[in-house]
Amino acid sequence: MTQPNFVAERGDEYLADVAASEHPGLWRLASLVAAGIPVAGSTDAPFGDHDPWAAMRAACTRQTPSGATLGLGERLSRRAALELFLGSPETPAVPRRVEVGATADLCLLDVSPDEVLNEFTADAVTRTVIGGT
């Protein structure tokens, strides 16, 4: 499990305080996925912002608060960033399926899948269902 939001929240501190030779190893994503290593996303709240949408944006842009890029080669596609957050607690790196008999843990959106991939914002969430409630 990794927290891509830390790049967006603390990336400038990492750039200033961590040796440049170690920057490629900070909050890796794309290289892990390319190596076939299962990766799931988290915000690590309360140590990071609780917004998973912000973490997804960070996974795609790898931009620090000042706009610098930390680990350009570690950026994920928008779909891959979304998939970081689709797993279950038992298997966080495996996207769940919505199917008969499955526990209803999901959020309902009022936009198309393409729109949510373009925006990555909680504004599209109309309802959250946890454990069927």
Side-chain angles (χ1 to χ4, degrees):
M1 188 138 346
T2 188
Q3 297 77 30
N5 51 300
F6 285 157
V7 170
E9 295 170 23
R10 303 178 187 153
D12 292 325
E13 295 168 43
Y14 299 147
L15 289 172
D17 299 338
V18 176
S21 62
E22 296 179 26
H23 291 177
L26 294 173
W27 306 109
R28 293 172 57 196
L29 288 169
S31 62
L32 297 175
V33 172
I37 298 169
V39 180
S42 156
T43 64
D44 205 24
F47 302 104
D49 187 318
H50 69 279
D51 183 0
W53 302 100
M56 289 177 228
R57 289 190 303 271
C60 296
T61 66
R62 305 283 300 185
Q63 284 190 327
T64 69
S66 70
T69 301
L70 178 59
L72 181 65
E74 294 296 336
R75 292 184 301 176
L76 291 180
S77 70
R78 297 188 78 72
R79 180 161 304 282
L82 175 65
E83 289 177 357
L84 291 174
F85 290 87
L86 297 181
S88 68
E90 298 81 23
T91 55
V94 178
R96 289 176 277 180
R97 294 181 50 87
V98 177
E99 58 192 6
V100 174
T103 301
D105 287 330
L106 49 93
C107 66
L108 302 175
L109 309 173
D110 66 358
V111 299
S112 72
D114 288 339
E115 288 177 86
V116 79
L117 288 173
N118 286 332
E119 298 297 322
F120 279 154
T121 176
D123 294 343
V125 177
T126 61
R127 184 167 306 223
T128 301
V129 180
I130 301 173
T133 304

